[in-house]
Amino acid sequence: MNSNQICAHDAPMPLWPVAPPGRPLAGLTVLVVEDSRLASEAVRLLCLRSGARIRRADCLRTAARHLQTYRPGVAIVDMALPDGSGAQLIAQLAGVVPVVLGMSGDPETEAAAIAAGADGFLAKPVESLALFQHLILSNLPPEARPPGLRVVPRDTVQPDAGALHDDLAHVAEVLASSSDTGAIDYIARFLAGVARSARDEPLEQAAAALARDHSAGRALAADLARISGLVQDRLAAAQG
């Protein structure tokens, strides 16, 4: 997908004669490209509180379909997607979409996001309304920013527990159905982001250990068994 194919119907950036109180992103459409329901739900709540519309894609392929029919004002792209690297999509969108932000539970990927052309970076957990609005507003063209003073919110968002349950169930399903190299890489990255968003340190440490051992070529049976046990414990607790 090249820059000429990104959008069949380009739309001009919205202008705000008067910004609705507490809704500084009114008029914007945000495309979030993220496979985690927990992270997507956090962004949805931030958009809702800010007045923006949201569209979601869970992989590069779905994002491409969205971008053939409309151009968002903002794209937020997870750095590790099930069908490829978010840096690839960021590079395609830079200069085409007014604001492009990378997002990840791994802060070390920020440099790769910026190098690919991202205007900024959201580190998971994504929960601060003030940070979310600032990153977008500060990177919009001046004519597309709402005029006047703006109250800086101190609010944070907390996604529903059902989103975390769906992510954990997804991990359990992948673990049960596949053990190839690609699946292990994906599980390590995906679970690390979910665990960080949920502030679940034991689960995050287990995902990090899986990634380290896999990179070093060590046996993974113990890592996978530990992760499977932790995931099943959390799913059982949620059901209870």
Side-chain angles (χ1 to χ4, degrees):
M1 181 176 64
N2 58 44
S3 59
N4 294 326
Q5 298 172 314
I6 282 177
C7 185
H9 305 288
D10 286 348
M13 284 296 298
L15 303 178
W16 287 267
V18 178
R23 298 290 188 269
L25 305 184
L28 278 177
T29 295
V30 176
L31 172 64
V32 56
V33 188
E34 168 63 70
D35 52 336
S36 163
R37 269 218 54 217
L38 186 64
S40 295
E41 178 65 7
V43 175
R44 186 189 72 81
L45 293 172
L46 291 168
C47 286
L48 181 66
R49 296 288 300 276
S50 304
R53 297 181 298 272
I54 185 171
R55 302 282 187 91
R56 183 197 173 202
D58 60 3
C59 62
L60 295 174
R61 184 176 63 256
T62 305
R65 288 201 298 268
H66 278 281
L67 292 162
Q68 286 172 356
T69 58
Y70 72 95
R71 188 188 75 176
V74 179
I76 300 174
V77 183
D78 186 55
M79 293 300 290
L81 294 162
D83 55 350
S85 168
Q88 172 188 343
L89 181 57
I90 288 171
Q92 292 169 347
L93 298 181
V96 178
V97 172
V99 180
V100 182
L101 304 176
M103 180 167 65
S104 178
D106 180 359
E108 293 185 3
T109 62
E110 179 175 1
I114 300 302
D119 299 298
F121 183 82
L122 285 166
K124 298 176 184 178
V126 181
E127 54 188 15
S128 168
L129 190 59
L131 175 61
F132 179 76
Q133 292 178 357
H134 172 73
L135 272 176
I136 293 175
L137 290 170
S138 63
N139 285 292
L140 283 172
E143 67 275 11
R145 299 174 192 165
L149 298 176
R150 180 174 65 89
V151 175
V152 177
R154 298 182 179 180
D155 308 41
T156 59
V157 298
Q158 183 62 48
D160 185 87
L164 175 59
H165 180 277
D166 287 352
D167 281 349
L168 293 175
H170 175 59
V171 171
E173 181 181 357
V174 174
L175 286 173
S177 62
S178 180
S179 59
D180 62 31
T181 297
I184 291 171
D185 284 338
Y186 173 69
I187 284 297
R189 293 194 305 266
F190 180 85
L191 190 58
V194 170
R196 181 163 293 194
S197 294
R199 301 187 183 279
D200 188 331
E201 188 173 348
L203 199 58
E204 184 178 355
Q205 290 175 347
L210 175 63
R212 285 195 306 270
D213 288 345
H214 186 238
S215 177
R218 302 189 188 103
L220 303 177
D223 291 320
L224 293 172
R226 180 186 178 198
I227 286 174
S228 181
L230 289 170
V231 168
Q232 292 301 329
D233 286 347
R234 282 149 182 74
L235 289 173
Q239 292 173 351

